[in-house]
Every structure is written in C-alpha cells, then in structure tokens.
Amino acid sequence: DLANPLWRLRNLYHIKRADDGRIIQFQPRPEQQQVYDMLFKEGVKRLIILKARRLGMSTALDVLLTDQMLWNAGTQCSLVDQTAADAERKLATIAKVAVDNLPEGTAKHIERLRDSGSILEVSVAGHAASSFFAGLRARGGTNNWLHLSEWGVIQADDPRRSEEILTGAIPSAEHGRIIVETTWKGGRGGHLWDIVKTALETPEEAKTDKDWRVVFF
C-alpha cells in the first residue's frame, strides 16, 4: 500500500481546515480524486485545471507535491503563486502541516534539512535530500513537480510575470509534471489562454506527453 501514491494520498495525510483551523485527515473530494486519477492512472504530464473557487485544488496539489517529496529521494517540487505571501502560506499551512502530522512510524524517519518561509528540504531515512520551494518564481535546475497557481489571474494582471512563467518556470519542469490550477480573468487573451486554446483544439489521439490536458470544475 505504501508504494501506491493514490493509497498514501487517501490515508497518510492531514490538513488544516480553513474555517476553524482544526487538523483533520485529508480525504480527497471527487474533484480532487479525479485530478489524482488523471495524474497517476492516466499518466498525464501536463494538466490545466480551470476552476471555481473553494474546491480545495491548491490543497490537493500541495499535499501531492509533499507526498512526492517524501517518497521519492532527490525530488524537487516548486509552487509558483500569485503573491509570495500566498505561496509561503500554502507551504506553511498545507505542506508543513502534512509533514508535521504524519503517522509516527513514518515521521521518525524524516530529517528536516532546511525549513523557512519559502523552502522545506528533507531527507527521509538518510536518502538524498528532496525539496519543496514556494514563491513568485520556480527555482532553477530541474523541477520534478511544478504547481502553477492562479496563472489565469497573473496573465491578466501582470503580463511580465506571466512571461516569466512561460519562459522560466515551464522549462524548469520540462521532463517533470506541470499542473496549473487557476480561476480565470481577462477573457480570451494571454499566455495561458494560448495554451488552453491549443489544448482544446488538439484531438486527444494526436496528443503526446508534452501536450496539455484541460479539465473544468
């Protein structure tokens, strides 16, 4: 069971409720589970989630990145968000809460190497370090998992940062998994709009691992 990420995501992790701050076991909602199934059962490498608010998609994705950091030595994960404060809040209230509340048998094997507002770096059972970065930009090097939050808003409000995501963050995960989750702003224009339009116009049978899939919630 522990070798199966879908089992781990349903059984190992806790989250902090937004309304009252209580720590509860994470149980994926149907929409969250659909995303997990697309990633792990269907093998989707590049996914765009267009959503209404309050579906818990950021929570689901950052629990996922935390899981991958813990169970795959040497993994680099990055979260790029609308503001640095948003990114650091998610690292603190999702990723670090998930690590802090692991079952004792798992937690005892985790050594925190770096723990700040923008990075959590751990070694599990003495294996190579894994890291989770959170901020306005993706760290250089190779990202195995990249979570881009609210790119739809960024492309409308800050085209220069949107250009940085396209030319900097995306290439940093060229051989990894990239997941965009966003509400929409700005109509039919912007870098992400171009990607979504192409994805929707490309027949599924013609897509490769480098092509984007789009899911609407």
Side-chain angles (χ1 to χ4, degrees):
D1 288 343
L2 285 171
N4 182 351
L6 291 173
W7 184 91
R8 295 194 305 264
L9 289 164
R10 286 192 297 267
N11 291 277
L12 283 189
Y13 300 107
H14 286 72
I15 58 173
K16 180 184 286 189
R17 289 191 357 170
D19 52 356
D20 59 11
R22 284 179 54 219
I23 304 296
I24 61 170
Q25 185 169 0
F26 175 57
Q27 290 291 329
R29 297 174 180 169
E31 297 91 347
Q32 296 167 329
Q33 188 64 52
Q34 181 179 339
V35 168
Y36 289 161
D37 288 345
M38 292 181 74
L39 294 168
F40 291 110
K41 291 184 178 180
E42 301 172 28
V44 171
K45 298 287 196 298
R46 296 189 171 197
L47 179 62
I48 299 169
I49 302 164
L50 301 177
K51 57 166 196 169
R53 292 195 178 277
R54 307 302 294 176
L55 284 174
M57 280 300 165
S58 288
T59 298
L61 294 176
D62 293 330
V63 170
L64 165 61
L65 265 61
T66 305
D67 173 82
Q68 293 299 299
M69 174 186 70
L70 294 173
W71 291 90
N72 297 282
T75 292
Q76 180 171 305
C77 304
S78 287
L79 161 65
V80 174
D81 212 331
Q82 194 171 352
T83 69
D86 286 339
E88 293 186 6
R89 176 180 54 78
K90 288 173 184 172
L91 184 67
T93 62
I94 302 172
K96 294 181 183 181
V97 167
V99 173
D100 287 342
N101 292 279
L102 283 164
E104 185 177 344
T106 302
K108 68 181 182 181
H109 297 293
I110 297 172
E111 178 187 1
R112 296 195 186 208
L113 304 176
R114 284 195 284 172
D115 185 347
S116 71
S118 60
I119 180 173
L120 177 61
E121 184 177 31
V122 301
S123 171
V124 180
H127 293 295
S130 293
S131 53
F132 190 148
F133 297 98
L136 290 176
R137 294 166 183 84
R139 292 296 180 100
T142 301
N143 278 299
N144 303 96
W145 289 84
L146 175 63
H147 171 197
L148 300 172
S149 188
E150 295 299 348
W151 191 3
V153 178
I154 294 167
Q155 71 173 356
D157 292 349
D158 194 344
R160 181 176 293 180
R161 272 206 60 220
S162 181
E163 178 78 25
E164 286 182 3
I165 290 172
L166 184 70
T167 61
I170 296 288
S172 80
E174 180 182 0
H175 301 294
R177 304 281 192 103
I178 308 172
I179 312 163
V180 179
E181 56 83 23
T182 186
T183 49
W184 198 260
K185 185 175 183 181
R188 298 184 177 190
H191 300 108
L192 183 59
W193 163 253
D194 292 339
I195 293 172
V196 169
K197 184 172 184 292
T198 299
L200 294 177
E201 292 174 349
T202 304
E204 188 62 31
E205 61 270 18
K207 290 184 177 180
T208 69
D209 283 351
K210 294 295 178 70
D211 289 303
W212 292 87
R213 272 71 177 177
V214 181
V215 62
F216 293 90
F217 292 115

